[in-house]
Amino acid sequence: MPSVKTDSNPSTTPPSILSLAFDLPNICSLVGLFSALLALYFALIGIYPAAMIGLIWAVFFDWNDGKIARKMKNRTAKQGQVGGQVDSLIDLVSFGVCPAVILLSYGNYDPIFFPGAFIIVAACVLRLSYFNVYGLDGKSTYQGLASDNNAIILVFVFLLESFITTSAFTIVLYITILVIAALNVASIRTPKLSGSWYYVLALYTLFITVAYGRLLV
């Protein structure tokens, strides 16, 4: 039986999986994942102001991993591809699963909230899968609402909780989740927020952190 020739060139040998955790943009992505998991934890135990803080910081770190990657001149194409996959999977947790769990938790896990939870996760899966294959719709626009906007909108809407009754806000929350999901998969063009929008997000993150932090005191 003839021997099989293998490629012994070290440059073609894949890196270890764990080495991905030491790539600086991936570290930023993983910190965002940690923020999202904090949001999930606090949502599960019903401390929603803390959940909102974790959720907005997940957005902030999601915006920063790409900025870091673009500034690294020695980053290979493979590292960029893997980083894109890491970012996409974390986006699913942060902007699909987190809103779903927040909805279920706020609804006291009543089965009526399960369809809404499924819809937001499914929309996020479809949205991210579409983007991974087709990319931007033009030079600076997306088809559908980018998934990070799910969290940006949700933490703002949650500010209403202190001003209306729980039953009324439950309806508002459910409608918000459904509208966001519809926008994720809608055949509309939405702008890619970049440039000075980064500083707007930074200020918004600080505002949300302070606003909800005061509710925790």
Side-chain angles (χ1 to χ4, degrees), residues 10-194:
S11 64
T12 62
T13 303
S16 67
I17 295 174
L18 191 58
S19 68
L20 304 179
F22 297 96
D23 184 38
L24 191 56
N26 289 344
I27 291 174
C28 185
S29 297
L30 291 171
V31 175
L33 176 61
F34 180 79
S35 299
L37 288 176
L38 282 176
L40 284 169
Y41 170 75
F42 286 115
L44 288 168
I45 62 176
I47 306 178
Y48 300 106
M52 295 303 108
I53 293 173
L55 193 55
I56 196 59
W57 279 98
V59 178
F60 183 74
F61 286 112
D62 177 60
W63 278 40
N64 275 278
D65 55 11
K67 289 177 67 68
I68 294 171
R70 286 188 291 272
K71 290 181 178 180
M72 294 177 63
K73 297 180 180 179
N74 60 339
R75 204 159 186 255
T76 66
K78 284 290 185 184
Q79 285 178 309
Q81 290 173 9
V82 172
Q85 295 300 315
V86 170
D87 180 68
S88 184
L89 291 169
I90 291 175
D91 284 356
L92 175 58
V93 175
S94 302
F95 313 132
V97 176
C98 269
V101 171
I102 289 168
L103 176 63
L104 289 170
S105 175
Y106 200 85
N108 292 317
Y109 305 100
D110 190 300
I112 197 173
F113 293 93
F114 186 81
F118 170 75
I119 288 170
I120 188 65
V121 175
C124 196
V125 167
L126 294 174
R127 171 72 186 79
L128 292 168
S129 299
Y130 183 92
F131 177 75
N132 288 346
V133 174
Y134 295 103
L136 291 171
D137 186 14
K139 293 183 178 180
S140 59
T141 57
Y142 296 107
Q143 182 167 162
L145 185 71
S147 57
D148 56 343
N149 289 285
N150 297 2
I152 292 173
I153 295 170
L154 187 58
V155 298
F156 182 79
V157 170
F158 236 93
L159 291 171
L160 295 173
E161 189 201 14
S162 301
F163 301 99
I164 59 178
T165 64
T166 299
S167 58
F169 183 73
T170 302
I171 296 172
V172 169
L173 179 61
Y174 209 141
I175 292 173
T176 299
I177 291 292
L178 294 177
V179 170
I180 289 172
L183 291 173
N184 284 158
V185 297
S187 295
I188 58 173
R189 286 189 173 187
T190 58
K192 184 180 189 302
L193 303 180
S194 57

